[in-house]
Amino acid sequence: MEFILIAVIGLCSGLVGALVGLGGGVILVPATLFVGLTLGLIPDITPQKVVGLSVVMMIFTGLASTLSYMKSKTVDYKSGVIFFAGSIPGTILGAWVNKGLDLPSFNLYFGILLIILATILIVKDKLKPVKWFVENGLKRTFVDQEGKSFVYGYPIWFALLLTFAIGFASGLFGIGGGSMIVPAMILLFLFPPHVAVATSMFMVFLSSIVNSASHIYLGNVPWMYTIPVIPGAYIGAKIGAALNKRIKSDTLVLFLRIILLLLGIRSIIDGLI
């Protein structure tokens, strides 16, 4: 029974993650903790094992999404590699700190993070894009299928600092980092939305390899549960990447706001009680 539940959670996580450029961990972690610990349907699961499972899953959701976005030529590989380089030390540090968290602390801090992410998405439309980063950094150009040209960019030093912090949260909580990097790419670096999502998933794929190695070394990966979650997440990611090209951005953001708020409130309540 637990293998079916894990497969379904993986499918939903991969779908939502690829749809909005998250990597899926932000869905898999709270869903698995709720089903496994609160409902008691998955034996021997712990926050550390859930994080280990999540980061292994994100290798495959990131790969599936990246392959899909490569066909539409929306992946900025150079930016993805720069962001990945900044995230490596943060990811390793976050994985090391994770081993000291008990369940109430994990739920509380993870819930706070989800509320912060939901708040960023809620106020995102009211914030004006910041042009300073483009004007004072490495400029990039993207031309879409309709021939419209976009100029975006960032100072490399700032991108490295930002992705270090995002990598730390990724290693600590088992999330892909896309939920934090995508709003920054759009608001600060002026990335076109679909390029931001595609490049985010490329970074998620690369950083998840390092993240997984860290958690494998720490003994946090429940290998039996990776068997059902990987194919489920891979299939979900392929579906999510396909839907991303058809669904309006406003619909995606509204859906994500609701999901993150509900999951964050639930996680904080569990942590406090």
Side-chain angles (χ1 to χ4, degrees), residues 203-224:
M203 188 197 80
V204 164
F205 167 61
L206 295 177
S207 61
S208 294
I209 296 174
V210 176
N211 209 350
S212 296
S214 300
H215 283 282
I216 289 170
Y217 175 77
L218 295 170
N220 291 343
V221 178
W223 291 108
M224 286 299 294

Side-chain angles (χ1 to χ4, degrees), residues 12-272:
C12 296
S13 301
L15 193 155
V16 175
L19 193 61
V20 291
L22 299 181
V26 74
I27 303 297
L28 182 132
V29 172
T32 306
L33 285 176
F34 175 74
V35 172
L37 294 178
T38 305
L39 300 182
L41 297 178
I42 304 175
D44 302 325
I45 204 73
T46 65
Q48 285 73 25
K49 289 182 178 178
V50 172
V51 170
L53 179 65
S54 175
V55 296
V56 171
M57 177 204 72
M58 285 188 295
I59 294 176
F60 296 90
T61 58
L63 175 61
S65 303
T66 300
L67 291 174
S68 296
Y69 291 130
M70 284 172 64
K71 296 177 182 178
S72 59
K73 298 181 180 180
T74 52
V75 180
D76 183 341
Y77 298 102
K78 184 173 183 177
S79 295
V81 170
I82 291 173
F83 298 161
F84 166 62
S87 71
I88 292 174
T91 294
I92 295 172
L93 179 62
W96 181 80
V97 173
N98 169 271
K99 67 181 182 180
L101 289 180
D102 56 16
L103 180 60
S105 298
F106 183 90
N107 278 330
L108 178 60
Y109 299 142
F110 188 63
I112 292 172
L113 176 63
L114 293 181
I115 296 295
I116 291 172
L117 296 178
T119 303
I120 290 173
L121 289 175
I122 289 172
V123 303
K124 181 175 74 71
D125 294 337
K126 299 178 177 62
L127 299 175
K128 293 182 179 180
V130 180
K131 296 182 179 180
W132 183 89
F133 295 96
V134 177
E135 294 171 350
N136 294 274
L138 174 69
K139 291 184 175 64
R140 306 286 287 162
T141 303
F142 173 75
V143 180
D144 63 17
Q145 295 178 345
E146 298 176 354
K148 186 177 180 181
S149 180
F150 298 86
V151 177
Y152 60 96
Y154 45 85
I156 294 179
W157 64 267
F158 182 84
L160 293 174
L161 288 176
L162 177 66
T163 51
F164 172 84
I166 291 172
F168 176 78
S170 178
L172 184 62
F173 296 114
I175 60 176
S179 49
M180 292 170 278
I181 191 65
V182 169
M185 290 165 74
I186 294 173
L187 291 173
L188 302 181
F189 304 157
L190 305 187
F191 271 68
H194 289 294
V195 176
V197 170
T199 305
S200 165
M201 292 309 300
F202 176 57
M203 188 197 80
V204 164
F205 167 61
L206 295 177
S207 61
S208 294
I209 296 174
V210 176
N211 209 350
S212 296
S214 300
H215 283 282
I216 289 170
Y217 175 77
L218 295 170
N220 291 343
V221 178
W223 291 108
M224 286 299 294
Y225 293 140
T226 64
I227 296 172
V229 81
I230 288 173
Y234 187 88
I235 294 169
K238 296 290 281 186
I239 297 171
L243 290 175
N244 174 273
K245 303 169 187 176
R246 302 180 183 181
I247 299 177
K248 294 181 179 179
S249 297
D250 292 344
T251 305
L252 297 180
V253 173
L254 176 61
F255 175 71
L256 185 58
R257 287 173 187 167
I258 296 170
I259 292 294
L260 291 181
L261 277 174
L262 293 177
L263 292 176
I265 292 170
R266 173 74 194 188
S267 188
I268 290 174
I269 292 172
D270 286 345
L272 293 175

